[in-house]
Amino acid sequence: MRTLVLNAGYEPLAVVSFRRAIVLVLTDKASVISEEEEPVIGPNETFARPSVILLNRYVRVPYRDGVAVTRRGVLRRDNHLCAYCGKPASTLDHVFPRSRGGADTWENLVACCLHCNNLKGSRTLAEIGWQLRTLPRPPRGRVWQIRELERPAPRWAEFLEQYPAA
C-alpha cells in the first residue's frame, strides 16, 4: 500500500501511503502513472489504487553533501553480504579496527557475517591475510536518501532503472 512519488523531472522523490497519493491526485497536485490491480472503494466513488504518481510541479530538493552512515545503510550498500566471505551478513565490521583509531565512515565499515567478525576481532586485514571482496565507498544519489526504497515494489522498477541504488 505504498506509492512512489516522482518529481516533475521523473526522479524519485519519496514513498507515501496510498491515501496520501490519492489526496495528491484528487487535489490535482499529481497524476497517476501506474496503478495497482485492486481499487479503493469509497462511499460514493471507486478509485484506482496508485502505485506511481508524478507531481505536476517540480519540487526543489535541498542539496545534501552526503548520506549519513548507519548500520542499515552499510548493510544495504553491501546487499547484506559479508565483505570477506560473501555469506549473508547481519553485523558490521570496522576494516581498520576501532580499538586502533578506526572511524565510523563509509570507507571503514563493511557488512560482515558473525563468523568472520569473530575471527577478525581487532586485527587488521594485513595481519590475518584477508582481502575485501569489494572496496567500501559512500553511496551516491538521491535514491539513497529515500529509506523506503530498500524494498521497492516490482511496478517501480522501470522508474528506478536510471537511478542506481549503489
Side-chain angles (χ1 to χ4, degrees):
M1 296 217 195
R2 302 174 304 156
T3 301
L4 176 64
V5 179
L6 301 177
N7 211 343
Y10 283 86
E11 65 269 8
L13 187 62
V15 176
V16 297
S17 70
F18 81 93
R19 285 182 170 183
R20 177 69 180 138
I22 288 176
V23 169
L24 288 170
V25 170
L26 290 177
T27 56
D28 290 326
K29 294 181 180 178
S31 306
V32 177
I33 293 184
S34 178
E35 302 172 344
E36 293 289 333
E37 310 283 317
E38 61 278 349
V40 176
I41 300 171
N44 300 326
E45 291 184 65
T46 301
F47 302 101
R49 185 183 307 263
S51 175
V52 180
I53 61 173
L54 176 71
L55 294 179
N56 295 334
R57 293 181 58 186
Y58 186 82
V59 175
R60 187 180 160 278
V61 180
Y63 177 76
R64 291 190 186 156
D65 198 20
V67 180
V69 179
T70 62
R71 179 180 187 278
R72 176 182 286 195
V74 172
L75 289 170
R76 179 177 168 198
R77 178 199 64 192
D78 296 345
N79 293 320
H80 293 269
L81 297 175
C82 180
Y84 305 120
C85 69
K87 293 181 181 175
S90 58
T91 63
L92 298 185
D93 183 56
H94 289 80
V95 177
F96 188 76
R98 190 167 33 174
S99 63
R100 298 183 183 192
D104 291 336
T105 62
W106 285 106
E107 295 83 4
N108 194 43
L109 285 169
V110 293
C112 187
C113 68
L114 192 57
H115 179 71
C116 290
N117 204 344
N118 287 333
L119 283 176
K120 182 176 174 290
S122 63
R123 297 178 287 182
T124 64
L125 297 179
E127 290 174 351
I128 54 177
W130 286 8
Q131 287 186 336
L132 289 170
R133 297 177 68 226
T134 59
L135 190 65
R137 286 186 246 168
R140 295 186 324 236
R142 170 81 180 115
V143 174
W144 271 90
Q145 296 171 356
I146 305 172
R147 185 172 145 189
E148 294 86 0
L149 288 181
E150 292 174 13
R151 294 179 307 263
R155 290 184 182 260
W156 301 351
E158 65 181 288
F159 304 100
L160 298 175
E161 285 173 354
Q162 59 198 14
Y163 299 97

